[in-house]
Amino acid sequence: MTAILSILANRMNIFIQFNKRSTFMINYKSSLLLIALTLLIISCSREGATNFNTNYLDISINEQGFIYSLKDITKPQAREFSPVDKPSPLLSLYNSKLDSMLEPIAADYNSSERLLKLTYKNNSVAEISVEPKDKYLKFTLSSLTERKDIEGVQWGAIHTNITNLFGEIIGVARDTSETVNYAIGMLALNDNTLGGNSKTIADAAPFQYVIHSPDSIQYPLPDDLHEGQVFTLGGNGISDVAFYAHKEPYYRIVYGNSAEVDEKGRISIAYNSRDRSTKREVFFSLIPNMPANIPNHLEVQPLPGVDFIGSSVALWGSPDSTALKDVIQEIVIAENLPYPTINGKWAKDPAAYVPDALTYGNLYDSIISYTSRLGFKTISLYDQGFIRPDRGNEGYLDGKNFEKKPLKLTSGNLSHKEFGDLAAKKNITIGRTPITNALAPGTKDASPIPSDSLAYQQKRLLVKNISETDTIIIIDDPKYMEEIGSWEGHAENLNMIKIGKELIHYLGVSEEEPYRLLNVERGYWGTTPLEHKTNDTIYKLQVTINYGYDGLIPNWELQEEIAKYYADVAYINNLGYYDFDGQEFLFNNGHGYYSVKRFFKNMFDRAEEHGMAPIRFTGATLSEGSWHYQSIWNVGGGKNLYDLETREWGSATSQGKDLRDVTYANYFPVSVGGNFPITAKSTVEEYNHIQAISVGIGMTYSLKLSQKDVESCPEKDAIFKAIRTWENARAANAFPRDVKKLLVKPDRNWELDEVDNNHWKLYQVVDKVRGPAINLTRDIEGGY
């Protein structure tokens, strides 16, 4: 091959020298030679190719271990989705010392054993088992030799020429056009395989804007922007509402890097797995480009036995319009991935999307009745405030005998358990809002006796004995000790160390020896000042933020216990729903999406031990770690997300547009949070519009309900009936794809009538006059 290229290059050079007086001839004939050369390279790269296919996708891997062909075989004329100039390495190795990727240089496939061997220039050999399925290909790393300095492995990046929608959370490239209608994606098949590339710091990709136009004709980029360009979020880095600062459609906020775009807008997909058993340090911030969230150095706790051997992915391609139910759902079921349901349907099924009731006013006489009439399934007791993980109460929110009665009814106040019993009679669950894993002051694991199972950023030694009153604390090494705790907000009041059973607040460290901590406050958070000896260990603690979220981060073992604690709380108090505020704190131990997966797996497993259904939950973020477990994503609410008056996705900020684009691209319901309270001024027309948008785009929301406000509404009963009619039809999957495309248009008005349990009539309303009816029928097959 090298000789052939050399001969061609030499002949081209001679030809150009001979014809240097004829520019046209040079350009023309040089182009022909370049084309010939390219074709030769392509043909040579396909020698010894290995081919795999599913019902919908044909994949070819060359003798170097690169995917060079991804074909849609659902159409008479197969369409190629692999860029000619960007073949995709099936599996690369991450050298942590050099911070570099090793791509394969040779591939050999044993068809009888279904074993693919990839060789690398460091002499590593990876053995990958290949299991072709009807609708996906399963790749599993069985072994790797010569793995010194290999910290992780990366599947892909799988490059495509798709430029429409990229799902950065679950890793999918989507062309949603009617002419193409195709998607290519990957899913992790085990917990330690994560969305994103191996170089992702602390396994949680930066939260930021990326420039990408989903349609370069409809939304052309301005001259000063280019595809793949990165911008920081808006605001001061603290207010999460202000993060969302760009209403332009080509500013795409990202919540992961399982899919990325290149300078041409083409989408690539990657997953990775890491050896977590070794000691490592990261310099991490989830929002690294903002002064309020600069990175911190964090020693990541080693997890013995958690390795990249066994890493497994499903690679799939299919028509986009049926991918969710036909392919992704099948992978989830076949590979025993988390499969939460509601009303017997997979939580990701658009027919299972359903709003929730969110309480305010702290009066609950009619809340269960309202929720039942609306057809909703959950009551979020938001006016009860936050609950915090406090293992001291053993899961009893209202006392061991349920003696506390925080839920007010005129007939007599009730405990959570009692109110949950009433709700369950209507097939309704109740829920609360926790501050995920933030160990607050005064709780069992934080103070006044702090646990020995707390996460820390740095570990140092005490150089000299101190008494219980000393404020001169000498440490052996000042490195990184000047950093303000956490990566988020850098709250000075949370900057503390732990020595033994004492928490100590400090700010700063001296620049010269002896290195001492500055501005020391002993016995912090109500802990007891104690004597400490030379060479006692000093832990600079990993923390959350303030603003009511104040807390310490648990270490790995304690976090797993807290996950089980939440299942215990749900079981004891009749809860079936959580709104995990501060969900991003699960990243703070440095294990990123793996931490999230393990947290929710432990909660779900414990719930199953109790005989409970999977706990339905929302949270402050969405990640590859939570996608399978999480049912909803409520962040804020009101006009920031969807403005009913102006009918736009976020009038005050771009939050509504941003979250809509993220969730839609990742086959997940967008939520517009706590919104649309029924008040004296509410009208049926408003809620017909809300429900049309909700069904059309795949939107949920938390309907704000106050008994006092609802009862003041003259159209209350008609509003309840209208919402229930839409929800019954949605649950019956009665809205075909073409109808949904009409419903999402905000300038249109709609009304829906129920004929019977299986049939509905949909009307577009213009100037309060109904147009011709669109007949809708229950989907018996439950298709997408």
Side-chain angles (χ1 to χ4, degrees):
M1 176 70 175
T2 304
I4 294 172
L5 293 179
S6 178
I7 291 168
L8 276 173
N10 185 52
R11 288 182 178 177
M12 182 180 289
N13 183 58
I14 293 169
F15 180 86
I16 291 172
Q17 290 297 321
F18 183 78
N19 291 280
K20 59 184 177 181
R21 293 184 179 179
S22 177
T23 304
F24 174 79
M25 286 299 292
I26 291 174
N27 290 339
Y28 175 71
K29 294 195 175 183
S30 295
S31 296
L32 289 178
L33 282 170
L34 284 171
I35 291 170
L37 181 60
T38 302
L39 291 173
L40 180 60
I41 293 171
I42 293 171
S43 65
C44 288
S45 70
R46 296 183 180 185
E47 291 178 5
T50 301
N51 183 263
F52 304 104
N53 57 66
T54 71
N55 292 351
Y56 310 131
L57 176 68
D58 185 273
I59 299 174
S60 295
I61 300 175
N62 68 16
E63 59 186 355
Q64 286 79 44
F66 283 72
I67 296 173
Y68 68 84
S69 180
L70 295 160
K71 287 184 179 177
D72 169 12
I73 55 174
T74 65
K75 301 176 180 68
Q77 183 65 42
R79 181 186 291 267
E80 179 62 70
F81 286 104
S82 180
V84 173
D85 61 326
K86 290 181 73 173
S88 308
L90 178 63
L91 185 78
S92 297
L93 311 181
Y94 176 55
N95 184 311
S96 56
K97 285 192 174 181
L98 299 177
D99 191 29
S100 63
M101 304 298 299
L102 293 173
E103 295 180 339
I105 58 174
D108 179 63
Y109 181 62
N110 185 320
S111 58
S112 62
E113 297 181 6
R114 291 185 174 176
L115 193 67
L116 180 66
K117 290 186 178 181
L118 299 181
T119 303
Y120 302 82
K121 65 181 180 180
N122 68 337
N123 295 321
S124 289
V125 177
E127 291 192 342
I128 300 169
S129 69
V130 184
E131 298 178 59
K133 309 286 186 177
D134 287 344
K135 296 176 183 177
Y136 63 100
L137 290 170
K138 180 178 181 179
F139 296 100
T140 304
L141 178 63
S142 303
S143 66
L144 180 70
T145 65
E146 301 296 333
R147 50 180 292 176
K148 185 176 183 289
D149 297 331
I150 302 301
E151 184 179 291
V153 297
Q154 178 177 302
W155 298 98
I158 308 299
H159 304 302
T160 77
N161 55 30
I162 296 173
T163 60
N164 181 204
L165 302 183
F166 69 100
E168 80 280 18
I169 294 173
I170 62 167
V172 60
R174 303 177 59 186
D175 189 319
T176 60
S177 66
E178 294 294 335
T179 54
V180 178
N181 184 28
Y182 203 78
I184 295 173
M186 276 199 287
L187 283 178
L189 302 183
N190 67 319
D191 284 348
N192 193 32
T193 302
L194 309 179
N197 60 64
S198 290
K199 293 188 177 185
T200 304
I201 299 172
D203 294 315
F207 181 26
Q208 57 196 7
Y209 278 107
V210 170
I211 297 299
H212 175 64
S213 173
D215 185 329
S216 60
I217 296 175
Q218 188 174 358
Y219 307 113
L221 297 185
D223 291 340
D224 61 337
L225 297 177
H226 62 80
E227 287 281 347
Q229 194 172 354
V230 172
F231 286 90
T232 188
L233 304 178
N236 59 10
I238 298 173
S239 169
D240 56 0
V241 171
F243 289 164
Y244 308 94
H246 288 283
K247 293 187 178 183
E248 303 93 330
Y250 41 77
Y251 275 87
R252 173 65 151 78
I253 211 159
V254 290
Y255 277 79
N257 62 348
S258 303
E260 298 183 302
V261 296
D262 67 10
E263 70 285 353
K264 296 181 181 179
R266 298 176 300 185
I267 301 165
S268 300
I269 306 153
Y271 271 73
N272 78 94
S273 187
R274 192 181 302 278
D275 178 0
R276 301 184 184 278
S277 65
T278 58
K279 183 179 178 180
R280 60 193 173 98
E281 184 173 77
V282 296
F283 187 45
F284 173 71
S285 169
L286 190 65
I287 316 174
N289 301 313
M290 307 191 81
N293 299 292
I294 60 175
N296 280 131
H297 290 87
L298 171 67
E299 293 183 21
V300 181
Q301 180 181 346
L303 303 178
V306 183
D307 190 23
F308 53 68
I309 301 300
S311 175
S312 187
V313 294
L315 177 59
W316 60 271
S318 85
D320 178 74
S321 57
T322 55
L324 178 66
K325 293 286 297 299
D326 182 44
V327 179
I328 298 176
Q329 182 174 230
E330 180 162 316
I331 295 171
V332 168
I333 294 172
E335 299 296 336
N336 198 30
L337 299 176
Y339 191 74
T341 59
I342 183 167
N343 296 337
K345 296 185 178 72
W346 183 38
K348 306 298 182 296
D349 184 340
Y353 299 169
V354 60
D356 309 300
L358 186 145
T359 61
Y360 68 101
N362 199 20
L363 184 61
Y364 297 92
D365 294 302
S366 301
I367 295 298
I368 293 173
S369 173
Y370 295 160
T371 306
S372 178
R373 290 176 64 187
L374 290 163
F376 297 174
K377 301 303 176 185
T378 294
I379 301 170
S380 177
L381 305 174
Y382 196 72
D383 48 8
Q384 293 300 309
F386 294 140
I387 60 173
R388 291 169 171 80
D390 184 4
R391 297 189 306 140
N393 64 25
E394 298 180 22
Y396 290 85
L397 296 180
D398 300 322
K400 286 289 185 69
N401 299 308
F402 306 99
E403 60 272 17
K404 299 176 185 176
K405 312 288 182 181
L407 304 176
K408 296 180 181 179
L409 289 79
T410 54
S411 59
N413 298 343
L414 299 176
S415 66
H416 287 83
K417 178 176 172 55
E418 292 165 332
F419 191 72
D421 282 337
L422 291 178
K425 293 177 181 178
K426 298 286 189 179
N427 194 29
I428 293 168
T429 58
I430 64 172
R432 289 290 303 273
T433 301
I435 305 298
T436 312
N437 60 343
L439 306 175
T443 60
K444 176 179 179 178
D445 294 304
S447 67
I449 303 175
S451 171
D452 291 331
S453 298
L454 300 175
Y456 59 87
Q457 291 187 334
Q458 300 294 325
K459 184 168 64 174
R460 300 289 183 263
L461 295 177
L462 185 63
V463 169
K464 183 180 179 182
N465 292 354
I466 58 172
S467 71
E468 64 271 20
T469 59
D470 283 335
T471 57
I472 305 297
I473 300 177
I474 309 299
I475 61 175
D476 64 328
D477 185 355
K479 190 176 183 181
Y480 307 140
M481 294 296 285
E482 79 286 355
E483 295 177 352
I484 303 297
S486 185
W487 54 266
E488 183 177 7
H490 304 291
E492 292 187 351
N493 68 302
L494 294 180
N495 199 63
M496 64 184 94
I497 60 170
K498 175 180 174 291
I499 311 179
K501 292 295 183 180
E502 181 186 359
L503 300 180
I504 300 171
H505 182 263
Y506 81 100
L507 286 173
V509 61
S510 64
E511 295 182 0
E512 298 178 353
E513 291 189 87
Y515 300 112
R516 64 185 180 91
L517 302 182
L518 306 177
N519 304 298
V520 169
E521 181 182 345
R522 299 291 301 274
Y524 203 54
W525 273 14
T527 59
T528 302
L530 300 167
E531 292 184 358
H532 302 291
K533 304 295 185 182
T534 301
N535 290 328
D536 279 356
T537 303
I538 298 171
Y539 298 97
K540 177 177 173 58
L541 297 179
Q542 177 66 303
V543 297
T544 59
I545 56 174
N546 45 28
Y547 303 101
Y549 295 85
D550 308 55
L552 307 176
I553 296 295
N555 74 359
W556 189 261
E557 290 77 14
L558 181 53
Q559 182 169 290
E560 299 220 319
E561 292 303 311
I562 289 169
K564 297 172 186 175
Y565 165 84
Y566 279 121
D568 294 344
V569 169
Y571 176 69
I572 291 168
N573 300 281
N574 274 340
L575 306 182
Y577 171 91
Y578 281 127
D579 181 352
F580 282 106
D581 209 343
Q583 190 179 354
E584 73 275 12
F585 300 152
L586 294 173
F587 301 148
N588 283 26
N589 56 31
H591 286 290
Y593 306 148
Y594 182 67
S595 172
V596 177
K597 288 182 181 181
R598 292 298 306 178
F599 182 85
F600 290 118
K601 176 176 173 53
N602 275 281
M603 184 178 78
F604 272 45
D605 286 351
R606 183 63 155 247
E608 187 175 5
E609 290 176 15
H610 288 311
M612 300 175 63
I615 295 170
R616 190 162 175 252
F617 75 90
T618 178
T621 191
L622 180 69
S623 70
E624 192 272 329
S626 67
W627 188 90
H628 287 285
Y629 294 96
Q630 192 164 330
S631 300
I632 323 158
W633 185 17
N634 286 342
V635 184
K639 294 184 177 183
N640 294 314
L641 283 157
Y642 192 84
D643 189 329
L644 182 57
E645 294 180 8
T646 63
R647 296 193 173 191
E648 62 183 309
W649 289 89
S651 59
T653 72
S654 66
Q655 186 175 12
K657 179 272 287 187
D658 286 334
L659 298 188
R660 176 201 65 195
D661 292 351
V662 168
T663 50
Y664 186 83
N666 286 281
Y667 302 112
F668 198 87
V670 58
S671 172
V672 292
N675 228 325
F676 318 127
I678 298 178
T679 67
K681 297 181 179 180
S682 298
T683 66
V684 176
E685 181 182 1
E686 292 174 335
Y687 292 91
N688 273 321
H689 172 70
I690 292 164
Q691 287 297 135
I693 293 291
S694 182
V695 169
I697 196 71
M699 179 183 88
T700 68
Y701 58 94
S702 292
L703 181 64
K704 297 176 71 172
L705 293 176
S706 158
Q707 187 166 312
K708 179 180 177 181
D709 285 347
V710 171
E711 293 304 320
S712 73
C713 179
E715 297 190 37
K716 173 193 71 174
D717 293 328
I719 290 170
F720 283 174
K721 181 181 178 182
I723 293 175
R724 181 59 180 264
T725 300
W726 283 94
E727 288 305 315
N728 286 348
R730 168 157 45 188
N733 202 35
F735 298 93
R737 194 159 165 258
D738 59 338
V739 171
K740 288 182 178 181
K741 288 183 177 182
L742 298 175
L743 294 176
V744 297
K745 298 181 178 181
D747 59 334
R748 300 191 181 192
N749 295 305
W750 302 90
E751 291 179 0
L752 183 68
D753 288 346
E754 185 167 308
V755 178
D756 55 40
N757 288 338
N758 296 312
H759 301 89
W760 294 263
K761 289 185 179 295
L762 176 67
Y763 302 92
Q764 185 178 350
V765 179
V766 179
D767 296 330
K768 300 188 182 301
V769 177
R770 286 182 168 185
I774 300 173
N775 294 311
L776 305 176
T777 303
R778 178 182 296 275
D779 179 9
I780 304 299
E781 299 298 323
Y784 178 34

